[in-house]
Amino acid sequence: MTDFSATRAVFHLPQGVVYLDGNSLGPLPVAAGERLARMLAEEWGNELIRGWNSAGWYVQPRKVGDRVAKLIGAAPGTVVMGDTLSIKVYQALSAALGLNPERRVVLSDSGNFPSDLYVAQGLLAALGRGYELKVVEPEAMEDAIDGSVAATLITEVDYRTGRRHDMKRITAAAHAAGALAIWDLAHSAGAVDVDLTGADADFAVGCTYKYLNGGPGAPAFIYVAPRHAERARPSLSGWMGHEAPFAFDLDYRPAPGIERMRVGTPPVIALTVLDAALDAWEGIDMRDVRARSIELSERFIAGVEAACPGLELGSPRDPARRGSQVSFRHPHAYAVMQALIDRGVIGDFRAPDSMRFGFTPLYIGPSDIDRAVAILAEVLDKRLWDNPDYHRKAAVT
Amino acid sequence: MTDFSATRAVFHLPQGVVYLDGNSLGPLPVAAGERLARMLAEEWGNELIRGWNSAGWYVQPRKVGDRVAKLIGAAPGTVVMGDTLSIKVYQALSAALGLNPERRVVLSDSGNFPSDLYVAQGLLAALGRGYELKVVEPEAMEDAIDGSVAATLITEVDYRTGRRHDMKRITAAAHAAGALAIWDLAHSAGAVDVDLTGADADFAVGCTYKYLNGGPGAPAFIYVAPRHAERARPSLSGWMGHEAPFAFDLDYRPAPGIERMRVGTPPVIALTVLDAALDAWEGIDMRDVRARSIELSERFIAGVEAACPGLELGSPRDPARRGSQVSFRHPHAYAVMQALIDRGVIGDFRAPDSMRFGFTPLYIGPSDIDRAVAILAEVLDKRLWDNPDYHRKAAVT
């Protein structure tokens, strides 16, 4: 059984803060500073250009990818790091369309993160030739998969409500209709028990600055199912994805397997921070994390519904249909969230009326939940709002 | 006049090393470690998600872009940071083709860095519709620009030979033929006196881990001429390039101006290192850097030609036609470079028979040049090669 008090000690959490926004940006791993200082001084500083080989920078995207793979049910050698999630969406979608060349429809849903839709819009406009993005309601996704669909492009966990799609079921439906399934794991990796292999996903992408705590703008990842790895044609064909980058041929030839999804020079400094952050996951069973996440979110919902009658649950009530975050709606959600943040409970606001709270078992426990509920109840107490003394920001202790 | 002994003190150069490979990876700025430690602790650590606003992470790509702009003759607000150079090539080329929709030819030369050609090949294959990449010899570039060319895609300074294209003249030729000119400044930014405004370039891209010393995999930049900024349509349309990223609309609308060339979440940690590295350039006149660079390369060529009869200059002899690097050819270039590196003179090898030496006035001076020449002469001395004692690697002092 995972010892969550040990993992909590891995992170820097400012005094007096209950951090329920790890679904947006994970906290600093305490070891990152020293690790990075060492990388700067010993690798970049002393090795200089030789660091590409001597310090393993060149193979880092694949090595770190293997560490991420473990957390999302993927085999070694199927995940590679680099770029941003938007870029990885572009790569996955263009490769999927190339593998299903007779079809013209990309199917997504309105619960997808907008950037995924923007990227699809840009790609399909560039491709022309009748390519079309069809966006349905999340609940209508399964029924909308038909013989016209080349690929589904779905974020497993909704960034606003935490609603979780059934990856295995939708992937099976896509395959039954002759479509490929691309999964965005932005709110899944490190949050829920993803099983890409078991779900038979075709492509997956994700970011690492949320539940994986890689820091602001940490590199993204892409997964390609082994059955596609040698046939997927990268449209973002950069030299690091070339079969022989240092032969400097004038013609592109894709590298074997997942390596072809590399594009430019890897972000070594950011990958070093991420690598340090991933140490927190060593020996951790994602099933334990999932069980604890459900325990925390259930406790939060029960607490809020008992103490804060003005709030409406914006997330599915069934924990099996939720990721690791919960949202509550309130007509003055923005103001309430600002008041919460002032008092040390950090969640975030999503227009028009949602407050999001993320549950990250590695460093958030039951007492944090209770404290957050109590402060939320206090903030919403009408008698307090009417008392001018309350609005002198008291330092949270 | 720039004081190059002051700039030298800004960098960490290992004892006993003459580093002539800053054209591949610049050295560590001494201040980067402390700056990064502060960013981790105070911004990420304590501000957490609030850092996007309170620490200015969100506007960093543009702010750092303005600092790079100064070094390449670009106006404020015309350069933005992010991604890798390969990605920026893709963005510039697809935007340029969108602005010149009747034409189908992209013209490049065989002296371009292969990744630029790979990226063009990938993009043009995706576009279909008769798009074609035409690659000519560098010397034939100007004559090859005709009425079929939509855009030229040229690296100003050849990564192998240091040959420098005439940006102003070729851009004028492109414009006269109704084509757009895209310039890759990988070996130009911080190396030569680039004047994008004066040359009337349409797009420019570049990396920052070479002469700008941003560290391995540092973020790239893209420049869009103000006349195109509101019309250039990004094909990599990510949320950070949206007009209102936090409105979370389902449809993409490009941000005003250069901001639309942003794609995903910016690489804050890497940008922080780069920002620290750019401090070295405060108050420095690129004309001084260029003059010093020519002085150093001329000294190197003269020294090598006097002391090393077996080497053949692989770079243009006219310094006006060179960037800030020089290559020499030798049948055993690989072995000679290894021997040089063993003795603390770090350049690099490029197949099949070239040794490259980069001159970076911020931290390389005449005495480094003389030392490198002396060691190169020693390495090439046939009598020494025949003496087995010589091959016991002596530590360079």
Side-chain angles (χ1 to χ4, degrees):
Chain A
M1 196 63 196
T2 301
D3 172 9
F4 290 112
S5 65
T7 57
R8 183 181 179 112
V10 165
F11 297 95
H12 171 73
L13 296 165
Q15 197 69 28
V17 164
V18 176
Y19 194 58
L20 302 182
D21 210 5
N23 53 319
S24 191
L25 177 70
L28 173 71
V30 174
E34 199 189 306
R35 177 73 167 278
L36 204 46
R38 203 164 64 228
M39 180 265 154
L40 293 185
E42 294 174 17
E43 300 182 8
W44 180 13
N46 287 336
E47 290 296 295
L48 292 158
I49 189 69
R50 296 168 295 194
W52 285 107
N53 293 310
S54 65
W57 298 341
Y58 183 68
V59 296
Q60 205 184 19
R62 172 84 170 263
K63 243 174 110 180
V64 176
D66 278 346
R67 300 190 76 183
V68 171
K70 275 192 206 170
L71 303 175
I72 54 175
T78 62
V79 173
V80 76
M81 312 302 300
D83 308 297
T84 64
L85 177 49
S86 296
I87 296 291
K88 293 302 170 202
V89 168
Y90 192 91
Q91 286 187 292
L93 184 56
S94 65
L97 295 178
L99 291 170
N100 210 353
E102 304 304 323
R103 300 190 179 188
R104 291 290 177 272
V105 174
V106 174
L107 181 65
S108 191
D109 71 69
S110 58
N112 203 346
F113 188 66
S115 196
D116 293 27
L117 302 177
Y118 303 160
V119 163
Q121 289 161 10
L123 172 60
L124 301 189
L127 293 175
R129 284 171 272 165
Y131 275 104
E132 179 194 344
L133 175 65
K134 197 170 156 185
V135 178
V136 300
E137 291 302 300
E139 298 70 23
M141 174 54 74
E142 215 177 312
D143 286 343
I145 299 174
D146 62 26
S148 71
V149 176
T152 57
L153 176 62
I154 309 175
T155 297
E156 188 190 15
V157 175
D158 187 302
Y159 74 105
R160 296 157 309 179
T161 64
R163 176 205 31 73
R164 185 183 185 186
H165 274 302
D166 187 330
M167 186 187 290
K168 191 163 184 168
R169 190 182 162 112
I170 290 179
T171 301
H175 291 173
L180 297 176
I182 305 165
W183 290 97
D184 180 339
L185 305 178
H187 292 270
S188 306
V192 297
D193 45 339
V194 179
D195 182 6
L196 289 176
T197 307
D200 206 24
D202 297 288
F203 293 87
V205 295
C207 66
T208 62
Y209 46 78
K210 297 178 183 290
Y211 295 88
L212 300 182
N213 314 301
F221 63 84
I222 184 167
Y223 162 85
V224 180
R227 65 182 172 283
H228 301 311
E230 301 298 332
R231 292 170 54 233
R233 183 92 196 166
S235 63
L236 297 174
S237 40
W239 72 311
M240 287 288 162
H242 193 278
E243 190 182 33
F246 293 94
F248 298 108
D249 293 335
L250 296 187
D251 290 308
Y252 180 73
R253 293 191 314 274
I258 192 69
E259 293 277 343
R260 66 183 59 185
M261 291 297 162
R262 294 175 65 168
V263 186
T265 304
V268 175
I269 295 173
L271 280 169
T272 300
V273 176
L274 174 60
D275 197 40
L278 290 172
D279 287 350
W281 296 91
E282 275 304 308
I284 289 199
D285 190 325
M286 276 309 301
R287 287 167 302 189
D288 292 347
V289 174
R290 176 64 173 157
R292 175 78 153 190
S293 153
I294 289 175
E295 178 196 330
L296 296 174
S297 63
E298 290 288 276
R299 187 182 187 102
F300 185 75
I301 292 171
V304 169
E305 293 192 332
C308 313
L311 292 179
E312 184 194 338
L313 182 64
S315 302
R317 191 165 293 278
D318 175 3
R321 300 198 52 236
R322 284 198 313 261
S324 198
Q325 72 190 62
V326 160
S327 64
F328 276 99
R329 302 173 65 192
H330 187 278
H332 300 296
Y334 181 79
V336 173
M337 182 51 73
Q338 287 308 305
L340 273 179
I341 293 173
D342 273 355
R343 283 151 188 82
V345 177
I346 303 183
D348 62 20
F349 165 76
R350 282 293 175 263
D353 60 359
S354 283
M355 293 183 282
R356 297 195 307 181
F357 302 93
F359 307 102
T360 47
L362 261 50
Y363 53 86
I364 291 294
S367 65
D368 297 307
I369 300 298
D370 297 345
R371 174 127 191 252
V373 170
I375 294 175
L376 178 57
E378 195 183 283
V379 160
L380 287 166
D381 187 327
K382 197 74 179 77
R383 287 162 306 178
L384 283 176
W385 279 75
D386 292 341
N387 177 353
D389 280 351
Y390 186 68
H391 297 279
R392 299 187 195 130
K393 288 181 199 173
V396 176
T397 54
Chain B
M1 194 63 194
T2 301
D3 171 8
F4 289 112
S5 65
T7 58
R8 183 182 181 115
V10 166
F11 298 96
H12 171 73
L13 296 165
Q15 198 67 28
V17 164
V18 175
Y19 194 56
L20 303 181
D21 209 5
N23 52 318
S24 191
L25 177 70
L28 173 70
V30 174
E34 201 191 304
R35 175 74 169 275
L36 205 44
R38 203 164 64 228
M39 181 264 154
L40 294 184
E42 294 173 18
E43 299 182 10
W44 181 12
N46 287 337
E47 290 294 297
L48 293 157
I49 188 69
R50 296 167 294 194
W52 286 106
N53 292 311
S54 66
W57 298 342
Y58 182 68
V59 295
Q60 207 183 20
R62 173 84 171 264
K63 242 174 108 180
V64 176
D66 278 346
R67 300 189 77 183
V68 171
K70 275 192 206 170
L71 303 175
I72 54 176
T78 62
V79 173
V80 76
M81 312 302 301
D83 307 298
T84 63
L85 177 49
S86 296
I87 296 292
K88 293 302 169 202
V89 168
Y90 193 91
Q91 285 187 292
L93 184 56
S94 65
L97 295 178
L99 290 171
N100 210 353
E102 304 304 322
R103 299 190 179 187
R104 290 291 177 269
V105 174
V106 174
L107 182 65
S108 190
D109 71 70
S110 58
N112 202 346
F113 189 66
S115 196
D116 292 26
L117 302 177
Y118 303 161
V119 163
Q121 287 161 12
L123 172 61
L124 300 190
L127 293 175
R129 284 171 272 165
Y131 276 103
E132 179 196 343
L133 175 65
K134 196 168 157 186
V135 179
V136 299
E137 291 301 302
E139 298 70 24
M141 175 53 76
E142 214 177 310
D143 286 344
I145 300 173
D146 61 27
S148 71
V149 176
T152 58
L153 175 62
I154 310 174
T155 297
E156 187 190 16
V157 175
D158 187 302
Y159 74 104
R160 297 156 311 180
T161 64
R163 177 208 28 75
R164 184 182 187 187
H165 273 303
D166 186 329
M167 186 187 288
K168 191 163 184 169
R169 190 181 162 114
I170 290 180
T171 301
H175 290 174
L180 296 176
I182 304 165
W183 289 96
D184 179 339
L185 305 179
H187 292 271
S188 305
V192 297
D193 45 338
V194 180
D195 182 6
L196 289 176
T197 306
D200 206 24
D202 297 287
F203 293 87
V205 295
C207 66
T208 61
Y209 46 77
K210 297 177 184 290
Y211 295 89
L212 300 183
N213 314 301
F221 64 83
I222 185 167
Y223 162 85
V224 180
R227 65 182 172 282
H228 300 312
E230 301 299 332
R231 292 170 54 231
R233 183 93 196 166
S235 61
L236 297 174
S237 40
W239 72 312
M240 287 288 163
H242 193 279
E243 191 182 32
F246 293 94
F248 298 110
D249 293 335
L250 296 187
D251 290 308
Y252 180 73
R253 293 192 314 275
I258 192 69
E259 293 277 342
R260 66 182 59 186
M261 291 298 161
R262 294 175 66 167
V263 187
T265 304
V268 176
I269 296 174
L271 280 169
T272 300
V273 177
L274 174 60
D275 197 40
L278 290 172
D279 288 349
W281 297 91
E282 276 303 308
I284 289 197
D285 190 324
M286 277 307 301
R287 285 167 302 189
D288 291 348
V289 173
R290 175 65 172 157
R292 176 78 153 191
S293 153
I294 290 175
E295 178 197 329
L296 296 174
S297 63
E298 290 287 277
R299 189 181 185 105
F300 186 75
I301 293 171
V304 169
E305 294 193 330
C308 313
L311 293 179
E312 184 194 338
L313 181 64
S315 302
R317 189 165 295 276
D318 175 3
R321 300 199 50 237
R322 284 197 314 260
S324 197
Q325 72 189 62
V326 160
S327 65
F328 275 99
R329 303 174 64 192
H330 186 278
H332 300 295
Y334 180 80
V336 173
M337 182 51 74
Q338 287 308 306
L340 273 180
I341 293 173
D342 274 354
R343 282 153 189 82
V345 177
I346 303 183
D348 63 19
F349 166 76
R350 281 294 175 261
D353 60 359
S354 281
M355 293 182 281
R356 297 195 305 181
F357 302 92
F359 306 102
T360 46
L362 260 49
Y363 52 86
I364 292 294
S367 65
D368 298 306
I369 299 299
D370 296 346
R371 177 132 185 248
V373 169
I375 294 175
L376 179 56
E378 196 184 282
V379 160
L380 286 166
D381 188 326
K382 197 73 181 79
R383 287 160 308 177
L384 284 176
W385 278 76
D386 293 342
N387 178 353
D389 281 350
Y390 185 68
H391 297 279
R392 298 185 195 132
K393 287 182 199 172
V396 176
T397 53

